[in-house]
Amino acid sequence: MQIQITAVSDPALIAAATRHGLRRPVLAARLAGWAFLLVAVLLLGITGDLSPGLLAGGAALGVIVPVVLLNHTARGLRAGRVTTYEISEGGVASSDADARHAYAWRAVRSVEHLSGQLLFRLRGARLLPVPTAGLSPAQIEQVLGAASARGLHVRRFAS
């Protein structure tokens, strides 16, 4: 299997992949932030004192940390550049004018088929979204089948 795709990275697809890929850490940060805010409100009701530390911590965890996490990750995925993606028996690679990154299949944790893209989850919480606009449904199934044959977790979210 040798599949090569050249595409301009779509900012909307990168944003969707980032939100999808980071939904658990973002949810954990938001829940922790809301818990801090709830404790601050309970302490205010019980003692009458407002805890600025709990309010600041709750606001930071509930709002600032998720926004920074999502923006930092989305920026790292380089929207708007012409990128060539290669999927082969050896793994998956992406290259643009500045860099080339190649990952063996053993570095891939899972593959998710989202609307308009395949999201490769790599070790170390890294993401590699690959647009599927240039692929036929048979080629998408070939990639997902190859990932599944290597024991990777494959999920389909696209309809």
Side-chain angles (χ1 to χ4, degrees):
M1 167 186 66
Q2 178 71 26
I3 298 174
Q4 185 172 346
I5 309 155
T6 300
V8 175
S9 301
D10 182 0
L13 287 178
I14 287 178
T18 302
R19 283 190 307 273
H20 181 81
L22 296 177
R23 68 184 183 277
R24 286 184 180 152
V26 166
L27 179 62
R30 286 185 176 151
L31 290 175
W34 281 105
F36 275 42
L37 293 173
L38 179 63
V39 169
V41 168
L42 289 174
L43 286 176
L44 177 63
I46 293 171
T47 65
D49 291 332
L50 188 61
S51 173
L54 285 174
L55 284 175
L61 283 172
V63 177
I64 297 170
V65 169
V67 167
V68 168
L69 184 63
L70 290 170
N71 286 340
H72 176 72
T73 302
R75 252 187 239 116
L77 294 175
R78 300 180 180 197
R81 294 184 179 218
V82 175
T83 305
T84 300
Y85 302 94
E86 300 169 25
I87 304 167
S88 67
E89 294 299 325
V92 62
S94 69
S95 58
D96 59 26
D98 295 332
R100 176 176 168 74
H101 302 282
Y103 305 97
W105 282 110
R106 67 179 176 276
V108 179
R109 288 189 347 217
S110 66
V111 181
E112 298 175 20
H113 183 204
L114 306 175
S115 180
Q117 61 191 326
L118 294 171
L119 181 62
F120 291 84
R121 289 180 182 267
L122 306 169
R123 306 262 181 234
R126 297 193 59 193
L127 305 171
L128 178 62
V130 176
T132 58
L135 298 177
S136 68
Q139 287 175 313
I140 293 170
E141 284 305 315
Q142 184 181 13
V143 172
L144 296 176
S148 182
R150 287 171 173 75
L152 299 176
H153 185 68
V154 174
R155 296 177 70 186
R156 291 171 175 84
F157 292 99
S159 50

